[in-house]
């Protein structure tokens, strides 16, 4: 997926993001320990612009662990709202594609040609540089899922291109069905290597179900609700909301308060201690780095390679903003609530 905004604004702390569109707001909650981050709708672009609900990054929060970007989309009619993103570059990050429904054809400059399907992790590493395209095949009528980005830590942010595929088994715990695609949860561990400790899992809760999940207390977590109303500890999240739980929490209690099944994605990791600069599809550490990545893409540099087999033109980079792109980091740390 590409951050295909026609005027991608600089992203920095305290700024309105995305070219003046209203940034997501933090809804006050009764419990100071859980923040509710609401989504804003962003067109993904391409010939058939698909709207996605973006909860990261936003004004009040840039990262949850190393997770730096969270787009949630669908359920869409594939014929009119499927994914169609021409070849575009990435640096300094990994992309995680996770579908609930649909089928997306992935091609990248490593030579990978893969079908992305529900319940299967597809993790692409675009450290120094990679390019890829993503197109709904049209064979499945509904397109529905998330795309998430992971910021690479300084020591590994020029990592070689890579593309990994993993299908986690479903784990049952209380009334929950859990698929752990990165990290460890509910007794299951993903074998996929990450450059910082991470958690990524899909959780499906039956009607009225409650599950208590032991989690790493050094991790902060985010629960992105896809469907249903899910109470996290003591805060109710509605569909498309991302509930942020600071580190210091050892048990995440989730309850499905809706009549049907609920589904959510749980993200986690230790607070990412580095400031990052995000612009378009690049994660770097300075404006100059971002400008160089843009120049390299526009010059068809070997840095990104060539996506073979895509029937069309690649995406041109938008113009850089006039102002220097400044680093982003999270707001000052809050102390977790003493009791919850
Ligand atoms: Mn992409």
């Amino acid at each position: 997926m590409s951050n295909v905004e026609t005027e991608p604004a600089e992203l920095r702390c305290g700024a309105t993001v995305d070219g003046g569109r209203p940034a997501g707001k933090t809804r006050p909650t009764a419990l100071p320990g859980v923040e509710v981050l609401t989504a804003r709708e962003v067109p993904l672009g391409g010939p058939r612009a698909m709207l996605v609900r973006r909860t990261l990054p936003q004004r009040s929060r840039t990262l949850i662990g190393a997770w730096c970007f969270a787009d949630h989309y669908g359920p869409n009619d594939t014929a009119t709202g499927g994914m169609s993103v021409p070849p575009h570059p990435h640096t300094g990050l990994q992309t995680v594609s996770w579908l609930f429904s649909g089928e997306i054809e992935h091609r990248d400059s490593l030579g990978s040609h893969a079908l992305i399907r529900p319940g299967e992790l597809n993790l692409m590493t675009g450290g120094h540089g990679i390019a890829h395209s993503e197109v709904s095949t049209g064979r499945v009528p509904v397109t529905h899922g998330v795309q998430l980005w992971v910021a690479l830590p300084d020591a590994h942010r020029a990592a070689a291109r890579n593309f990994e595929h993993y299908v986690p088994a479903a784990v049952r715990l209380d009334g929950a069905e859990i698929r752990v695609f990165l990290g460890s949860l509910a007794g299951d561990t993903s074998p996929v290597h990450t450059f910082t400790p991470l958690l990524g899992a899909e959780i499906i809760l039956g009607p009225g179900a409650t599950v208590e999940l032991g989690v790493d207390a050094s991790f902060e977590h985010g629960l992105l609700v896809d469907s249903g109303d899910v109470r996290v500890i003591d805060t109710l999240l509605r569909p498309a909301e991302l509930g942020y739980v600071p580190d210091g929490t050892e048990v995440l209690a989730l309850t499905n308060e809706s009549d049907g099944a609920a589904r959510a994605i749980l993200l986690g990791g230790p607070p990412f201690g580095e400031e990052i600069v995000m612009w378009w599809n690049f994660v770097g550490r300075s404006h100059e780095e971002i400008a160089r990545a843009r120049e390299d893409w526009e010059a068809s540099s070997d840095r990104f390679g060539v996506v073979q087999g895509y029937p069309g033109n690649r995406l041109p980079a938008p113009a850089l903003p006039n102002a220097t792109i400044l680093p982003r980091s999270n707001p000052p740390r809050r102390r977790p609530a003493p009791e919850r």
Side-chain angles (χ1 to χ4, degrees):
M1 183 174 292
S2 168
N3 181 17
V4 194
E5 300 186 50
T6 52
E7 293 180 2
E10 62 181 271
L11 292 179
R12 67 180 174 116
C13 251
T16 300
V17 296
D18 294 335
R21 285 186 203 92
K25 295 186 182 70
T26 302
R27 184 159 60 78
T29 58
L31 194 81
V34 180
E35 282 174 27
V36 181
L37 305 171
T38 57
R40 61 190 187 283
E41 284 202 322
V42 178
L44 199 60
R48 297 171 292 163
M50 179 174 86
L51 282 178
V52 300
R53 297 176 289 274
R54 186 163 297 160
T55 41
L56 280 182
Q58 60 176 281
R59 175 164 27 192
S60 60
R61 183 150 300 278
T62 303
L63 295 135
I64 296 178
W67 298 101
C68 63
F69 191 91
D71 274 358
H72 174 216
Y73 51 88
N76 291 342
D77 179 342
T78 302
T80 55
M83 192 177 291
S84 178
V85 186
H88 60 277
H90 287 291
T91 63
L93 60 84
Q94 293 176 296
T95 63
V96 169
S97 303
W98 185 264
L99 286 176
F100 306 133
S101 173
E103 185 183 63
I104 291 168
E105 186 172 29
H106 164 99
R107 296 175 188 272
D108 66 39
S109 55
L110 193 65
S112 316
H113 180 206
L115 289 174
I116 295 173
R117 293 185 166 124
E120 304 184 0
L121 171 72
N122 288 279
L123 175 70
M124 186 183 76
T125 302
H128 181 60
I130 197 167
H132 71 148
S133 63
E134 298 156 289
V135 180
S136 294
T137 63
R139 287 194 285 253
V140 180
V142 174
T143 298
H144 187 190
V146 293
Q147 184 161 126
L148 312 162
W149 293 358
V150 175
L152 294 174
D154 192 54
H156 297 287
R157 63 198 183 85
R161 295 170 194 162
N162 201 9
F163 184 75
E164 294 163 88
H165 176 258
Y166 168 64
V167 184
V171 176
R172 291 186 186 278
L173 180 65
D174 300 331
E177 183 180 306
I178 299 170
R179 287 175 175 80
V180 183
F181 52 83
L182 289 175
S184 293
L185 186 72
D188 193 29
T189 296
S190 165
V192 177
H193 172 260
T194 59
F195 293 94
T196 55
L198 284 179
L199 172 62
E202 178 184 294
I203 301 173
I204 297 171
L205 293 163
T210 290
V211 64
E212 291 197 347
L213 299 166
V215 291
D216 189 325
S218 70
F219 282 23
E220 51 188 4
H221 292 89
L223 189 81
L224 175 61
V225 176
D226 169 61
S227 57
D229 297 323
V230 180
R231 185 170 297 281
V232 182
I233 306 174
D234 204 19
T235 299
L236 190 65
L237 299 175
R238 296 180 292 239
E241 290 182 338
L242 175 65
Y244 169 76
V245 183
D247 53 322
T249 300
E250 292 181 335
V251 177
L252 285 178
L254 309 181
T255 301
N256 175 8
E257 299 206 351
S258 41
D259 295 334
R263 176 165 47 204
I265 295 288
L266 180 62
L267 306 176
F272 194 76
E274 303 171 31
E275 287 194 327
I276 59 174
V277 174
M278 292 181 74
W279 180 81
W280 196 39
N281 297 307
F282 304 132
V283 172
R285 295 298 184 276
S286 69
H287 176 95
E288 291 69 29
E289 261 181 38
I290 297 291
R292 191 170 316 117
R294 181 191 179 281
E295 261 175 43
D296 289 346
W297 175 247
E298 291 302 280
S300 299
S301 157
D302 289 345
R303 173 177 185 173
F304 296 106
V306 174
V307 178
Q308 303 286 353
Y310 177 83
N313 296 326
R314 59 189 220 147
L315 281 180
L320 277 173
N322 289 325
T324 299
I325 308 169
L326 297 176
R328 290 176 69 96
S329 59
N330 278 329
R333 301 285 302 284
R334 303 181 317 161
R335 293 189 65 78
E339 292 185 358
R340 52 190 67 165

